[in-house]
Amino acid sequence: MQVPARIDNWIDGSSRPARSGSVMDVVDPATGARVCSMAAAGAADVADAQAAAARAFVAWGARPAAERAELLDRLADLVERNLERLATLESIDSGKPLALARSVDIPRAASNLRFFAEAVRAWQPDEEYRTAHAHSRVIRRPAGVAGCISPWNLPLYLFTWKIAPALAAGCTVVAKPSEETPMTAAALGELSAEAGFPAGVLNVVHGRGPECGAAVVAHPSIPVITFTGGTETGARIMQTAGPMFKRVALELGGKNPTIVFEDADFEAALSGAVRAGFQNQGQICLCGSRVLVQRGIYERFRDAFVERVRALRVGDPLEAGTEQGSLVSQAHQTKVSAAVERARAEGGRVLCGGRAPDAAALPERVRGGAYWLPTVIDGLPMGCATNQEEIFGPVVTIQPFDDDREAVALANQSTFGLAANVWTGSHARGMAVAERLEFGIVWINAWLLRDLRVPFGGVKRSGVGREGGDEALRFFTEPKSVTWPA
Ligand code: NAD
């Protein structure tokens, strides 16, 4: 396979090792084998990337939106043309099933680029206001160099979700993908040159969060920071960026409810709850990890749910038919394992999974992988740590509720507020429940159904700001109000 021998930073239109010469290993979590090395960038590399981005900003920010859009479309074409290669790299890097990377991650990366190309073509950023006394015009200009920091769970998908609106709006970018999954972002840097992006418009720096990521946040001339990742990291970013008065958007963790009412289409709710709980091994911020089921159907639903989850095919991510791949790393598997031990200690009953698969049950190639069997646990109160803390793995709790009021109260009993999914035969009931749910996103009879124009993001400890559509384009621009007498 076309795994690069080494991954370097992409700065000012070319590949460069870290100035310090530091490297780190890139590991395939499904096998435990090292696949290549990558640059471990630090503040000096970030400074180089920022300088290149600042130079490129002069022309890029002034370029007509239609020309920027044209380049984003060309990059989307190249992502599509390289779909198989990128999907394979994504699978090797993250442990996710190749089929998922091929059908979701990479196509969505292309559609992110296309979506923001189209959005900026249609965007009318300037506004006009008149009173009897004053005439005002609000002009919006790109904010400068944007720092885009992304996580490992949906690597190219979330990387492009950040850089596409930044580039469309006229910012130049210093992007920092997760050190767990650098490969597709590195490939995209190179593809951007092939698409015709001028040097310095998109820069990609690789390395550890506390060194490379922190240097992006701390750089005094990167005024805009968009981050997707863990809540604790988000808090650290705020501590640095706050006193520097940077504009910050944070998409953070979740502990999302799946709410199933008795009047729901049973089969649709069942397959929806399984997908919401376990897609990408439960490593999606939007995953429904707290399943709440109305009491009248609780036992029937729980039993059917467990049966479906037990039947999920855990295996080699590269093999067709694998539904559950490896977790992202051995370290993450250790965390998931500790979370399940804690659930047991809290009195939870493990209904399926609850352990790593037997090595003999896995294909030989992946016996050294960071696997965890999809796990369902019941018997836990909502206030316990298992139900309050994000596990970010294939671990779901299930519990009953009596009525709409209790469903909403249980769902809202969380310090997170990212996404809820509600299953009911009554749209009016779904809307009434949605009104009372303290979440930034609510799906009714769906999960991960996206219209990229609608605001995306969470409340409480799930973050600040919204991505998507015009919200994102506004985020990367600075308004200036100009007023004169009428
Ligand atoms: P993480 O916070 O460990 O890392 C995310 C990124 O931040 C990585 O690129 C990392 O290198 C960088 N980073 C780490 N420390 C940093 C620091 N001090 N300064 C600057 N950058 C730093 O998160 P992760 O483990 O990669 O991702 C999993 C988390 O992301 C989960 O909590 C998940 O819920 C969240 N997530 C949220 C969304 C959303 O849209 N709300 C989407 C996906 C993932």
Side-chain angles (χ1 to χ4, degrees):
M1 168 61 220
Q2 320 86 319
V3 174
R6 190 170 122 166
I7 290 170
D8 282 324
N9 298 315
W10 180 259
I11 296 176
D12 211 8
S14 66
S15 287
R16 297 188 197 174
R19 271 185 183 265
S20 65
S22 298
V23 290
M24 52 195 289
D25 286 343
V26 179
V27 172
D28 175 350
T31 62
R34 174 189 176 282
V35 287
C36 65
S37 70
M38 64 177 257
D45 307 286
V46 170
D48 287 346
Q50 189 283 335
R55 283 193 299 274
F57 178 69
V58 179
W60 183 253
R63 212 157 162 170
E67 290 184 16
R68 298 195 298 258
E70 177 64 30
L71 287 172
L72 286 168
D73 272 338
R74 272 196 240 156
L75 187 55
D77 292 342
L78 287 172
V79 168
E80 281 164 0
R81 219 173 294 154
N82 286 274
L83 185 140
E84 201 53 32
R85 176 170 74 99
L86 292 169
T88 308
L89 291 177
E90 205 75 297
S91 174
I92 291 172
D93 225 358
S94 67
K96 70 175 68 205
L98 174 58
L100 186 69
R102 196 188 269 143
S103 61
V104 175
D105 292 73
I106 309 305
R108 173 60 193 276
S111 43
N112 286 339
L113 296 162
R114 267 194 217 299
F115 171 78
F116 281 107
E118 207 43 54
V120 79
R121 281 188 187 105
W123 198 39
Q124 302 287 348
D126 297 353
E127 299 155 43
E128 296 236 346
Y129 299 93
R130 279 171 196 271
T131 68
H133 314 291
H135 188 169
S136 301
R137 183 172 300 157
V138 181
I139 52 179
R140 281 188 172 270
R141 296 294 175 260
V145 178
C148 301
I149 304 176
S150 52
W152 48 258
N153 62 327
L154 301 168
L156 195 64
Y157 175 138
L158 291 176
F159 186 83
T160 50
W161 183 235
K162 294 192 172 301
I163 66 156
L167 296 171
C171 288
T172 52
V173 167
V174 176
K176 152 69 181 92
S178 170
E179 59 273 42
E180 303 278 359
T181 53
M183 290 204 274
T184 49
L188 196 79
E190 291 174 12
L191 290 176
S192 72
E194 197 179 329
F197 279 82
V201 169
L202 172 63
N203 304 278
V204 186
V205 285
H206 296 282
R208 295 182 183 87
E211 293 153 25
C212 182
V216 172
V217 177
H219 196 292
S221 300
I222 301 183
V224 179
I225 302 290
T226 170
F227 167 80
T228 297
T231 296
E232 302 305 322
T233 315
R236 269 195 289 278
I237 287 174
M238 275 295 219
Q239 278 167 3
T240 304
M244 299 176 86
F245 308 108
K246 294 193 178 200
R247 187 178 307 170
V248 177
L250 303 174
E251 297 295 338
L252 309 176
K255 192 73 185 178
N256 309 300
T258 293
I259 304 171
V260 183
F261 286 101
E262 283 165 6
D263 64 0
D265 174 331
F266 190 89
E267 177 49 41
L270 185 60
S271 51
V274 172
R275 205 165 73 84
F278 295 98
Q279 184 159 310
N280 203 39
Q281 297 74 245
Q283 302 168 131
I284 300 181
C285 54
L286 307 164
C287 275
S289 54
R290 298 182 289 147
V291 179
L292 308 173
V293 185
Q294 201 163 13
R295 200 170 301 274
I297 57 165
Y298 179 69
E299 284 176 16
R300 182 172 156 236
F301 189 91
R302 180 198 60 199
D303 293 349
F305 184 69
V306 169
E307 196 181 314
R308 286 285 178 93
V309 172
R310 207 178 262 137
L312 289 171
R313 271 165 298 175
V314 180
D316 185 338
L318 298 181
E319 270 176 24
T322 293
E323 292 169 306
Q324 294 279 293
S326 160
L327 304 189
V328 75
S329 65
Q330 208 65 58
H332 192 51
Q333 196 237 38
T334 304
K335 277 194 210 157
V336 170
S337 169
V340 172
E341 273 324 297
R342 181 181 59 194
R344 286 195 174 96
E346 288 179 324
R349 190 163 61 121
V350 174
L351 303 175
C352 66
R355 61 180 176 84
D358 297 328
L362 289 170
E364 203 171 335
R365 194 186 84 88
V366 296
R367 285 188 185 158
Y371 282 85
W372 192 260
L373 287 174
T375 299
V376 182
I377 302 172
D378 79 350
L380 286 170
M382 192 51 83
C384 72
T386 304
N387 274 325
Q388 290 299 312
E389 288 175 26
E390 188 184 41
I391 297 172
F392 213 57
V395 180
V396 163
T397 63
I398 187 162
Q399 73 177 84
F401 67 83
D402 285 314
D403 54 19
D404 301 38
R405 190 200 54 75
E406 192 190 5
V408 169
L410 287 170
N412 288 344
Q413 192 184 334
S414 174
T415 56
F416 292 103
L418 188 53
N421 61 108
V422 179
W423 300 84
T424 169
S426 157
H427 184 72
R429 181 187 216 172
M431 283 304 296
V433 168
E435 286 276 355
R436 285 143 62 206
L437 286 170
E438 295 162 3
F439 292 82
I441 300 160
V442 180
W443 283 292
I444 300 173
N445 295 327
W447 178 74
L448 203 35
L449 177 65
R450 297 281 287 119
D451 177 333
L452 302 186
R453 291 171 301 182
V454 306
F456 176 93
V459 300
K460 302 183 187 171
R461 291 173 71 227
S462 291
V464 282
R466 291 292 184 277
E467 297 185 310
D470 289 357
E471 297 267 351
L473 294 175
R474 269 195 289 273
F475 177 78
F476 290 108
T477 52
E478 198 66 72
K480 182 186 295 178
S481 302
V482 185
T483 301
W484 61 95

